[in-house]
């Protein structure tokens, strides 16, 4: 798209915004219309849309035949021969620019490989393009605020690291949370710390392994933890969890997150309780998603390192804090429901 610069006074003034008569890249709701069109097509072909994840479609007869997920106009699918026939019909309806088949493929920057040990997922190619910021004079005082251009570089680097942490690098999820606190007003010291994260993750190439599991022994395992007063001038606390699908011997990591607890926690019990609730909520969501496709609920096993929280969950005595009492009560109900 080529636009001719307007004539008149102050057209080159910094901070000036042009108001477009009409969008340059199509209608404002074109992406929504595209999604609605694809959804109808997939349903007409016999696929079922997940109630838990609107981007997931699956084919189920007497068994699960195949899965398809959407990311705008990129499709990722796997399934039986019957499901492959549906994919062929889909390719006849829409013009497909490229199809990747075989043991290895790339999807939205993710490298996927299938082998005898299972499926591996990594972003090593993407990581190779992530470089630390070197244009800043790090001899300046570490408390000195970055200038406007340096802030943009800080935010750009943080965004790249965040993309890694969301997809294949759970080990840096807390780093992203920590440095996100300073996204608006980062200092030289913060940028130096962010560069150190880049240096650390580039030392070793990491891939997530999804091994083959025993279907009859499947279960969800959620591990939660919290840190009291480790954010925002030692006032705010952090909660985190990691969720696995396992069979008692092998594990597949499904989800992970690390977030700031919005309320100020008064003690470790409150922080640990909110962290466990955080993890359990997401585990239940995954449980329902799997139930849609497999037809049965998986048991959820929770792991914590707080004896105080364990006692509170299995005790008949009320927690003294009325707000915390409600949170513990929800966990107790979850345990009773199995």
């Amino acid at each position: 798209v080529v636009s001719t610069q307007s004539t008149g006074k102050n057209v080159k003034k910094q901070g000036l915004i042009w108001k477009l008569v009409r969008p340059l890249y199509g209608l404002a709701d074109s992406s929504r219309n595209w999604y609605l069109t694809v959804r109808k097509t997939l349903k007409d072909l016999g696929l079922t849309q997940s109630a838990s994840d609107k981007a997931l479609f699956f084919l189920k007869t007497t068994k699960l035949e195949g899965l398809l997920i959407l990311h705008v106009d990129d499709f990722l699918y796997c399934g039986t021969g019957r499901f492959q026939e549906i994919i062929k019909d889909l390719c006849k309806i829409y013009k497909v620019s490229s199809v990747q088949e075989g043991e290895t493929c790339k999807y939205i920057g993710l490298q996927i490989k299938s082998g005898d040990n299972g499926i591996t997922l990594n972003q090593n190619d993407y990581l190779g393009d992530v470089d630390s910021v070197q244009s800043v004079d790090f001899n300046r005082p570490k408390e000195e605020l970055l200038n406007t251009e340096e802030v943009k570089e800080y935010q750009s680097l943080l965004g790249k690291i965040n993309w890694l942490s969301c997809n294949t690098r759970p080990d840096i999820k807390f780093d992203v949370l920590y440095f996100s606190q300073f996204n608006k007003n980062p200092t030289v010291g913060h940028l130096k710390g962010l560069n150190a994260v880049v240096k650390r993750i580039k030392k070793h190439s990491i891939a997530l392994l999804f091994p083959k599991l025993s279907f009859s022994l499947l279960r969800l395992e959620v591990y939660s933890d919290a840190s009291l007063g480790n954010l925002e001038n030692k006032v705010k606390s952090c909660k985190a969890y990691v969720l696995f699908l396992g069979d008692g011997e092998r594990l597949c990591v499904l989800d992970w997150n690390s977030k700031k607890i919005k309320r100020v926690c008064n003690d470790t019990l409150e922080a640990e309780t909110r962290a466990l609730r955080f993890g359990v909520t997401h585990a239940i969501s995954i449980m329902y998603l799997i139930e849609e496709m497999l037809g049965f609920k998986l048991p959820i096993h929770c792991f914590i390192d707080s004896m105080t929280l364990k006692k509170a969950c299995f005790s008949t005595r009320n927690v003294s804090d009325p707000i915390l009492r409600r949170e513990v009560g929800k966990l107790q109900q979850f345990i009773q429901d199995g």
Side-chain angles (χ1 to χ4, degrees):
V1 177
V2 178
S3 174
T4 303
Q5 183 171 314
S6 301
T7 58
K9 296 181 179 179
N10 301 323
V11 293
K12 294 185 178 181
K13 184 178 179 182
Q14 187 175 1
L16 189 68
I17 299 176
W18 291 9
K19 182 179 179 181
L20 298 177
V21 176
R22 61 175 59 89
L24 297 176
Y25 300 99
L27 300 175
D29 58 350
S30 58
S31 57
R32 179 177 180 272
N33 290 335
W34 161 249
Y35 166 74
L36 295 177
T37 302
V38 173
R39 183 181 68 176
K40 183 179 184 303
T41 301
L42 293 175
K43 287 185 175 182
D44 290 344
L45 290 172
L47 302 189
T48 300
Q49 184 179 28
S50 168
S52 303
D53 187 339
K54 299 302 182 181
L56 172 64
F57 295 80
F58 59 91
L59 176 66
K60 185 178 179 182
T61 54
T62 56
K63 62 179 182 179
L64 183 64
E65 298 274 1
L67 302 171
L68 182 146
I69 58 175
L70 307 177
H71 181 82
V72 193
D73 58 351
D74 291 320
F75 297 178
L76 179 65
Y77 64 89
C78 63
T80 62
R82 181 174 181 176
F83 187 75
Q84 297 294 335
E85 292 301 316
I86 293 178
I87 296 299
K88 290 179 181 178
D89 293 336
L90 181 65
C91 293
K92 293 177 183 177
I93 298 172
Y94 297 111
K95 182 179 179 181
V96 180
S97 59
S98 65
V99 177
Q100 298 183 53
E101 295 181 341
E103 295 185 350
T104 62
C105 68
K106 286 187 177 182
Y107 181 71
I108 59 172
L110 306 175
Q111 295 166 262
I112 305 170
K113 183 177 181 180
S114 177
D116 294 335
N117 294 328
I119 298 173
T120 58
L121 187 68
N122 72 74
Q123 288 177 285
N124 293 333
D125 286 351
Y126 178 81
L127 178 59
D129 295 329
V130 178
D131 296 315
S132 57
V133 176
Q134 301 296 334
S135 59
V136 176
D137 179 11
F138 290 105
N139 293 321
R140 294 150 54 189
K142 64 178 183 179
E143 299 84 5
E144 183 179 329
L145 292 174
L146 300 177
N147 60 41
T148 304
E149 291 303 316
E150 292 169 344
V151 169
K152 290 180 180 178
E153 291 191 80
Y154 178 93
Q155 294 172 342
S156 175
L157 182 58
L158 182 60
K160 293 176 182 178
I161 296 175
N162 182 48
W163 179 242
L164 287 165
S165 75
C166 289
N167 292 288
T168 58
R169 297 298 298 259
D171 56 315
I172 59 172
K173 195 63 179 178
F174 176 76
D175 293 298
V176 172
L177 171 64
Y178 178 79
F179 288 104
S180 294
Q181 298 177 98
F182 319 108
N183 204 30
K184 292 183 179 180
N185 298 295
T187 64
V188 173
H190 295 144
L191 181 55
K192 189 175 182 179
L194 203 56
N195 279 346
V197 175
V198 174
K199 183 179 179 180
R200 188 174 79 242
I201 61 179
K202 277 179 169 285
K203 277 187 177 181
H204 307 286
S205 60
I206 292 179
L208 299 182
L209 173 64
F210 299 86
K212 296 179 181 179
L213 302 176
S214 175
F215 190 80
S216 61
L217 299 175
L218 291 180
R219 69 185 192 182
L220 292 171
E221 296 185 10
V222 57
Y223 295 77
S224 67
D225 201 2
S227 184
L228 182 66
N230 66 329
L231 300 174
E232 292 187 12
N233 298 321
K234 306 301 181 182
V235 175
K236 292 290 186 177
S237 303
C238 171
K239 59 184 178 181
Y241 73 87
V242 58
L243 176 64
F244 294 95
L245 177 66
D247 60 5
E249 293 185 3
R250 297 169 295 272
L251 294 172
C252 297
V253 61
L254 297 183
D255 191 21
W256 59 86
N257 209 340
S258 180
K259 278 192 172 184
K260 177 177 67 177
I261 300 176
K262 294 181 179 180
R263 285 178 55 88
V264 176
C265 296
N266 297 315
D267 52 33
T268 303
L269 174 59
E270 183 174 358
E272 293 283 355
T273 300
R274 296 189 182 281
L276 180 56
R277 275 272 292 150
F278 184 41
V280 166
T281 299
H282 286 81
I284 292 174
S285 175
I286 296 295
M287 179 191 71
Y288 286 137
L289 179 63
I290 294 176
E291 182 186 10
E292 282 187 276
M293 297 180 290
L294 301 184
F296 58 88
K297 290 183 179 179
L298 298 183
I300 299 175
H301 295 240
C302 300
F303 298 85
I304 56 175
D305 62 356
S306 171
M307 185 59 67
T308 307
L309 176 55
K310 180 181 177 181
K311 290 180 179 179
C313 287
F314 290 95
S315 175
T316 56
R317 297 178 59 185
N318 284 330
V319 178
S320 57
D321 188 314
I323 297 178
L324 185 59
R325 189 183 306 156
R326 183 169 178 267
E327 295 294 319
V328 173
K330 290 180 181 179
L331 291 173
Q332 291 174 333
Q333 187 62 49
F334 166 73
I335 294 172
Q336 291 174 12
D337 293 342

